[in-house]
Amino acid sequence: MSARIVCLGEAMVELSPRQGRWDVHYGGDTLNVALHLTRLGFDVAYLTALGSDPFAGHMRQAWGREGMDVSLVLTDPERTTGLYSIATDEHGERQFSYWRGESAARRLFTASGIERALEAAAEADLLFFSLISLAILPGEAREAVLALARKVRSRGGMVAFDSNYRPRLWESVEAARTWRDRAIAVVSIGLPSLDDERNLAAGTETVAMVRDHWLTEGCEEVIAKMGAAGAVLPDGSAAEPEAQLLALDTSGAGDAFDAGYLAARLRGLSPDRAAAHGQRLAGWTVMRHGAIPERDHASPYAAMVVEAAEKEART
């Protein structure tokens, strides 16, 4: 039976310029992970709050068509859904503008139905959240996220965490660092990136320093991402990508890696094969526009599922 996964965070409307007009999509780090995991055949629910605006209904419908469970998507009728615009340069690097100050997700833990949603989320086989998930919430709600993570772990589930650091969402770098470390202490799989860790704290200039810090703080398995240079596996060895790509759009690359890695690990693949899955999915993503591209003939989801199934059949 497929593992039950709950991803927690903020989903936003994504506006991207295309030939003199704006294309409307949706994105958000934990949402991207949730949708990739759904496409990889898992039972995935997304825990968030949307506004009562027209965008919200379209987002729910689109996620439902993907096969994602939207029963934990709550509504705050007094707020709107967050929005961002994205532009990319000739190297595929991103530039964002955000309108999220009144985002419904910021009041997730006061939304109607949150008690029921948290009870359901606590039964997950895997809970996934990020530093952005914490950044948008007030202190009491951040505590509630960590409490949920501890409950999932106490029931035998796994908790994964990505330290996506966005300075403008935090009152100070010290606050972000504190909450990152508190999150590390309650998770089983850590997915830091070297760039974010360098921006968060001195003493993390190398990937070995990042791994050491996360392990010291209590994380059991650390896979450190280095962008186009690849990743460092839990045993300290390097996992280099198969090819260097001239990216069209790097938005969502780290999220795709997270999803590919977590899916493979849930299905029993080794960390090195899981990293290869993460890199393959990230490579497909950066060669297309948008944080969560539409599936096409080259999408690697089916092949990744087949490899995991063949491994399971051999064991």
Side-chain angles (χ1 to χ4, degrees), residues 5 7 33 37 40 42 126-128 158-161 189-191 221 223 256-268 274 278:
I5 301 172
C7 299
V33 172
L37 287 169
L40 285 164
F42 289 94
L126 171 67
L127 172 70
F128 177 78
M158 299 165 56
V159 177
F161 172 69
I189 299 180
L191 297 145
E221 179 175 319
I223 177 83
F257 180 92
D258 290 355
Y261 184 85
L262 292 171
R265 293 295 284 141
L266 283 168
R267 288 181 166 136

Side-chain angles (χ1 to χ4, degrees), residues 165 192-201 204 210 225-227:
Y165 175 50
S193 70
L194 182 57
D195 286 345
D196 283 339
E197 295 298 304
R198 284 174 170 170
N199 291 329
L200 272 168
T204 52
V210 172
K225 296 172 287 183
M226 300 185 295

Side-chain angles (χ1 to χ4, degrees), residues 103 216 274:
S103 167
T216 299

Side-chain angles (χ1 to χ4, degrees), residues 7-10 46-50 72-76 103-115 117-118 133 136-138 141 145:
C7 299
L8 182 154
E10 180 183 32
Y46 194 56
L47 176 53
T48 192
L50 301 179
L72 305 186
V73 178
L74 308 180
T75 299
D76 186 334
S103 167
R106 290 177 177 264
R107 298 204 305 194
L108 169 62
F109 283 82
T110 61
S112 175
I114 186 60
E115 295 84 3
L118 290 175
S133 307
I136 65 166
L137 297 171
V145 174

Side-chain angles (χ1 to χ4, degrees), residues 94-273:
R94 307 154 291 170
Q95 187 173 34
F96 297 97
S97 298
Y98 291 98
W99 294 265
R100 70 199 310 178
E102 295 300 311
S103 167
R106 290 177 177 264
R107 298 204 305 194
L108 169 62
F109 283 82
T110 61
S112 175
I114 186 60
E115 295 84 3
R116 173 194 57 80
L118 290 175
E119 289 178 2
E123 301 290 337
D125 298 301
L126 171 67
L127 172 70
F128 177 78
F129 68 104
S130 75
L131 196 59
I132 295 175
S133 307
L134 297 177
I136 65 166
L137 297 171
E140 188 173 310
R142 293 173 185 169
E143 295 285 1
V145 174
L146 300 188
L148 173 62
R150 285 189 289 268
K151 187 171 289 188
V152 170
R153 292 290 301 279
S154 72
R155 292 180 173 173
M158 299 165 56
V159 177
F161 172 69
D162 187 323
S163 59
N164 279 337
Y165 175 50
R166 302 294 182 267
R168 285 187 291 180
L169 293 178
W170 289 95
E171 56 269 33
S172 68
V173 66
E174 292 80 13
R177 191 182 306 134
T178 295
W179 284 100
R180 177 206 59 183
D181 288 349
R182 293 194 60 194
I184 293 172
V186 301
V187 304
S188 42
I189 299 180
L191 297 145
S193 70
L194 182 57
D195 286 345
D196 283 339
E197 295 298 304
R198 284 174 170 170
N199 291 329
L200 272 168
T204 52
E205 287 80 11
T206 69
V207 72
M209 292 175 177
V210 172
R211 288 182 62 254
D212 288 346
H213 179 79
W214 280 60
L215 292 170
T216 299
E217 292 294 325
C219 185
E220 296 177 358
E221 179 175 319
V222 182
I223 177 83
K225 296 172 287 183
M226 300 185 295
V232 172
L233 299 171
D235 66 1
S237 62
E240 297 181 359
E242 293 182 357
Q244 290 296 319
L245 303 173
L246 185 60
L248 291 177
D249 183 352
T250 58
S251 61
D255 308 327
F257 180 92
D258 290 355
Y261 184 85
L262 292 171
R265 293 295 284 141
L266 283 168
R267 288 181 166 136
L269 270 66
S270 63
D272 62 319
R273 289 309 307 154

